[in-house]
Amino acid sequence: MTDLNTIAENYITAWNESDAARRQALLKATFTEDVSYRDPIMQGDGHDGVAALIDGVQQRFAGFRFSLKGKPDGFGDTIRFSWNLGPEGTDSVIEGTDIGVIENGRLKSVTGFLDKVPAQ
C-alpha cells in the first residue's frame, strides 16, 4: 500500500531543498523519471524540468517555505494534498492543491491548482 503522507511530505521536502545534490536525490525518490508537472503558471517534465521549476520558485520567493496544509487523501493511483507557501513562522502568502498520479510509490504526474495568490 502506498503511504500518501510520505509521498506528500517528500514532495514538500523536495520543493524546500536548496542544495542541488540533495534535491536531486529527493527528486529521484519522489518522482518517476518521466514525471510531468503542470499548474496555471508553469510546467516541467522529468527530474531536470521539475528541478528548474523549484529553482525558479526559490529565487522568486527567497526565504519562503512550503508546508502541508491538512492531511493528504486519495484513492487508487491518485493523491490530493494542499500546501502553504510563505515566510517561516507567518501566515501563508500562497496556497494550493495538487493532484498527483502515483506509479510504484512515486509521482508520475502532478497537476497543481492555486487556491490563494497575492493581488498583483
Side-chain angles (χ1 to χ4, degrees):
M1 182 172 150
T2 301
D3 182 351
L4 300 178
N5 289 317
T6 299
I7 290 171
E9 288 169 5
N10 288 346
Y11 177 90
I12 296 296
T13 301
W15 279 86
N16 283 331
E17 182 55 63
S18 58
D19 180 82
R22 285 195 303 257
R23 184 184 320 128
Q24 193 63 30
L26 286 165
L27 292 173
K28 287 181 181 182
T30 306
F31 301 97
T32 62
E33 295 289 330
D34 60 345
V35 63
S36 72
Y37 177 94
R38 305 284 183 272
D39 73 23
I41 300 172
M42 56 190 187
Q43 62 184 30
D45 295 307
H47 292 168
D48 290 342
V50 173
L53 298 178
I54 293 171
D55 281 335
V57 169
Q58 289 184 1
Q59 289 174 19
R60 182 165 182 200
F61 299 102
F64 283 32
R65 302 285 293 171
F66 284 92
S67 62
L68 280 177
K69 179 180 178 183
K71 184 176 172 146
D73 68 348
F75 63 91
D77 65 353
T78 305
I79 182 174
R80 173 180 65 175
F81 57 93
S82 296
W83 48 264
N84 301 301
L85 176 63
E88 202 161 2
T90 66
D91 290 338
S92 60
V93 176
I94 302 169
E95 297 177 4
T97 299
D98 290 352
I99 309 294
V101 174
I102 302 166
E103 182 179 271
N104 298 321
R106 297 187 297 164
L107 291 164
K108 182 170 179 62
S109 70
V110 178
T111 303
F113 296 86
L114 299 174
D115 302 327
K116 174 184 167 185
V117 293
Q120 296 295 327

